[in-house]
Amino acid sequence: MSILNKASKLFKNEKGITQNLESMGYDMDYIEKNNMKSLSKDDIAYLKANEDVRLVSEVLTKARKTKFNKAFEKVKNAKETYGLDPSVYALNGLFSKDDEAVKAFVEKRAAKQKNAVSKIAKVTGWDIEKAKAETDRAYETYGVLPTEYYKELYYNLTDDELAARKEEEKKELERCMEWVRSETGWTDYQISFHRIYCSLAFGIVTHAYFPTRCWQMDDKTLKTFARQRDSRKLRNKYTDSKSISILANKVKFNKVFGPLAGRKYWLNRDTNYEEFLEFVDGLDELFCKPVNLSHASGTRKIKVEGDLKALYEDLILQPKTLFEECVKQHHEMSEFYSNSVNTVRIFCLLDNDEFVPFAGFVRFGAGGVADNIVAGGVGCGLNVETGTIDTPAMDKWHNLNETHPISGKKFEGFKIPNWDKVLEVAEKGLRHVEGINYVGWDIAVCEDKAVLIEGNTLPSISTYQMFYGYRHEGKRYRYEKYLEAKSEE
């Protein structure tokens, strides 16, 4: 073949590549800038058949300021070689890692899933084979990983109940997608692109995208938003990694912070009947918190009544659980909702021995025994200088409520009682253990005091930010100056 014929063939191939790319919506400037003519016909066929790879490749191109052909090659490799979902690959920061790091991530992830199966077997009494069969079926049918199956207590649900739960989640996602479509005219592809882009470029985790209303703002505004990865930076800078387990483990927390927690607790499986009787003496009810779960999963109240021996024998067989004396909250907090302890979340740190409470929000129950938003509660932004609620309340459907949906009590302008005591116990908590200098405290307000409920070593700054999204107000300035040094991107 002559040089001229070879050149002609290459030109035809390149022209065919360009035409295919243009038919997919790419303009010539984008194609040229991102070296997309280097893609083969097989690459283009792969892009057409794998929208998830195409989507994440485009997001990485924009968010990480790389070339599309490079992003595509790495995302495709992660999916083909390691079986990684493209969004998992991107959102876990693996794009900047080499193959060995990606392989290590996959292995660690698989170990976590295997460990979750073992936990499920232990909690349910199933053998490992049955636990694996049930979680495999949940994954194949609903895409539920064993870690989610365990944390969300799906092992307690029938097939119909789990199907109904997943159908509700699907409907909720569609409701949110329609919300964005109606305001922007975007396609589902464009919405998905923007969700992942906001996470990679601005650290706004995908589940916070809708409540924060990210699609309503430009990049300049979103850059001012509080970012969840900043919470990790603050933890890396201010907290000794060896101390993290004290707060992460509910049992350790109660032992170490008992004087500041201000209530008695009892751990089943570790306590005999006589100790149990001593614990419940004078108590009308107990608050139950499974040790290995979060986001209020499995929390409940039980009455201390009837045959106490039978009650003890029932509780001792439950999954590892803390049973606590119920906190009696301040009457003004109870006026919002009395069936849960309504708690304040204070983000605070010790910087050169100075106590800095830089952000906060407050949550109220609205139907259950927990105040967490995911458990059906509502939350409001909080001015930590004054202890005053300064936003409407948001519920788990991202609706804004001027008043409590059950009691009708107005949120905005309400001042948390005993605010000085709230800040005092938050500071005492930070100074209680050396090496723990950044925490998101959950604090209950009582008539004459404030008590620690739990401490979070990686508190959700994204949740704090979402309360202010409706007014397009970024909150990164509240802590930005504390991010310097000893942090990881």
Side-chain angles (χ1 to χ4, degrees):
M1 184 182 293
S2 69
I3 293 176
L4 185 62
N5 286 337
K6 285 182 179 179
S8 176
K9 185 175 181 180
L10 287 171
F11 175 76
K12 287 179 181 178
N13 286 342
E14 184 179 284
K15 186 177 180 181
I17 295 295
T18 301
Q19 288 174 339
N20 267 299
L21 290 171
E22 287 179 325
S23 72
M24 294 169 68
Y26 300 107
D27 62 34
M28 185 57 70
D29 286 344
Y30 190 90
I31 293 169
E32 294 282 359
K33 182 179 178 181
N34 288 284
N35 299 334
M36 294 177 75
K37 290 180 182 178
S38 66
L39 299 176
S40 67
K41 289 182 179 178
D42 287 343
D43 289 337
I44 292 174
Y46 189 88
L47 282 171
K48 288 181 176 179
N50 294 270
E51 189 176 86
D52 55 348
V53 173
R54 177 186 173 189
L55 173 69
V56 171
S57 299
E58 289 181 7
V59 174
L60 286 167
T61 299
K62 182 176 180 180
R64 291 290 176 258
K65 295 180 173 54
T66 189
K67 302 293 185 183
F68 180 93
N69 63 330
K70 179 183 177 182
F72 166 69
E73 181 183 341
K74 296 197 75 170
V75 176
K76 179 184 177 184
N77 179 60
K79 183 173 182 177
E80 294 292 289
T81 306
Y82 301 105
L84 269 179
D85 181 275
S87 60
V88 172
Y89 173 78
L91 295 175
N92 283 279
L94 297 173
F95 178 71
S96 59
K97 309 293 185 182
D98 60 21
D99 276 7
E100 284 303 310
V102 175
K103 182 180 178 182
F105 172 85
V106 171
E107 290 173 350
K108 184 176 180 180
R109 192 165 183 253
K112 285 181 67 175
Q113 303 311 321
K114 186 176 180 180
N115 186 43
V117 173
S118 296
K119 288 181 178 179
I120 292 165
K122 187 174 182 180
V123 168
T124 59
W126 299 339
D127 57 36
I128 288 293
E129 288 72 22
K130 178 173 173 57
K132 189 175 186 309
E134 292 297 322
T135 52
D136 284 348
R137 190 158 60 91
Y139 181 72
E140 290 166 6
T141 307
Y142 307 108
V144 173
L145 289 167
T147 46
E148 180 187 355
Y149 193 88
Y150 175 69
K151 289 180 180 179
E152 298 299 327
L153 310 183
Y154 288 154
Y155 50 80
N156 286 330
L157 303 181
T158 65
D159 286 353
D160 288 345
E161 288 170 336
L162 180 53
R165 178 83 64 88
K166 287 300 164 183
E167 182 62 26
E168 280 302 308
E169 290 176 6
K170 183 179 177 181
K171 287 180 180 177
E172 174 58 16
L173 176 60
E174 173 55 30
R175 184 187 72 83
C176 290
M177 296 289 281
E178 178 55 32
W179 180 16
V180 182
R181 285 195 294 262
S182 67
E183 290 192 8
T184 63
W186 290 351
T187 64
D188 287 0
Y189 186 90
Q190 289 171 310
I191 298 170
S192 297
F193 175 95
H194 198 242
R195 285 183 77 191
I196 300 175
Y197 172 69
C198 284
S199 182
L200 292 184
F202 311 116
I204 300 168
V205 291
T206 52
H207 68 259
Y209 178 85
F210 296 115
T212 310
R213 294 163 165 77
C214 295
W215 66 91
Q216 297 176 351
M217 289 154 271
D218 58 19
D219 286 8
K220 184 178 179 180
T221 302
L222 290 170
K223 283 180 181 178
T224 70
F225 275 35
R227 312 183 305 182
Q228 184 54 26
R229 63 175 175 244
D230 289 342
S231 195
R232 187 176 298 279
K233 289 182 179 182
L234 291 170
R235 184 180 73 175
N236 290 348
K237 179 179 179 181
Y238 287 100
T239 296
D240 181 349
S241 60
K242 295 178 181 178
S243 303
I244 289 174
S245 65
I246 296 174
L247 294 180
N249 185 296
K250 292 180 175 68
V251 179
K252 287 183 179 180
F253 174 82
N254 278 274
K255 288 180 178 178
V256 174
F257 290 92
L260 299 173
R263 60 196 177 281
K264 299 190 295 182
Y265 74 95
W266 172 71
L267 180 66
N268 68 342
R269 300 187 180 182
D270 292 350
T271 310
N272 61 42
Y273 181 54
E274 288 69 27
E275 291 170 320
F276 170 75
L277 289 177
E278 182 179 347
F279 168 67
V280 299
D281 185 37
L283 301 181
D284 298 320
E285 58 185 2
L286 303 176
F287 190 75
C288 313
K289 295 163 63 173
V291 168
N292 295 315
L293 301 180
S294 57
H295 303 301
S297 295
T299 57
R300 65 197 188 280
K301 287 182 180 179
I302 59 171
K303 295 288 186 182
V304 180
E305 58 186 10
D307 185 345
L308 294 184
K309 181 68 172 178
L311 176 61
Y312 168 80
E313 290 175 348
D314 176 58
L315 298 182
I316 208 74
L317 294 175
Q318 297 295 318
K320 198 171 185 180
T321 301
L322 278 173
F323 296 90
E324 299 178 343
E325 175 185 3
C326 291
V327 173
K328 292 181 173 58
Q329 67 186 340
H330 195 283
H331 69 277
E332 290 184 37
M333 298 295 284
S334 194
E335 285 171 3
F336 281 98
Y337 183 74
S338 61
N339 200 37
S340 71
V341 176
N342 306 310
T343 58
V344 171
R345 166 72 60 85
I346 297 290
F347 298 80
C348 54
L349 54 86
L350 282 178
D351 184 67
N352 293 321
D353 205 45
E354 177 190 1
F355 173 65
V356 183
F358 63 84
F361 57 82
V362 58
R363 297 168 299 192
F364 301 93
V369 299
D371 61 353
N372 300 59
I373 296 175
V374 294
V378 295
C380 313
L382 197 60
N383 181 319
V384 291
E385 280 76 31
T386 64
T388 304
I389 293 175
D390 61 359
T391 74
M394 185 179 292
D395 60 28
K396 69 177 182 178
W397 298 281
H398 323 318
N399 299 310
L400 296 175
N401 301 267
E402 297 291 339
T403 59
H404 193 280
I406 295 177
S407 67
K409 189 173 175 67
K410 188 176 186 300
F411 291 114
E412 215 164 344
F414 175 79
K415 182 175 172 60
I416 304 295
N418 292 329
W419 186 245
D420 57 336
K421 291 180 171 57
V422 171
L423 295 180
E424 181 182 346
V425 78
E427 181 172 1
K428 284 182 177 179
L430 270 187
R431 297 187 186 279
H432 193 64
V433 176
E434 186 176 352
I436 299 179
N437 298 316
Y438 168 61
V439 178
W441 293 117
D442 289 340
I443 298 172
V445 185
C446 304
E447 294 294 344
D448 59 350
K449 62 182 178 180
V451 298
L452 297 182
I453 298 297
E454 65 181 34
N456 302 272
T457 62
L458 193 62
S460 178
I461 290 180
S462 289
T463 300
Y464 163 65
Q465 175 62 70
M466 78 183 189
F467 296 123
Y468 298 89
Y470 78 99
R471 61 193 196 209
H472 302 184
E473 182 181 332
K475 287 293 185 178
R476 196 167 190 260
Y477 75 93
R478 296 289 306 178
Y479 59 83
E480 194 166 18
K481 70 179 182 180
Y482 302 106
L483 291 172
E484 300 171 2
K486 294 185 181 178
S487 57
E488 299 174 358
E489 183 61 34

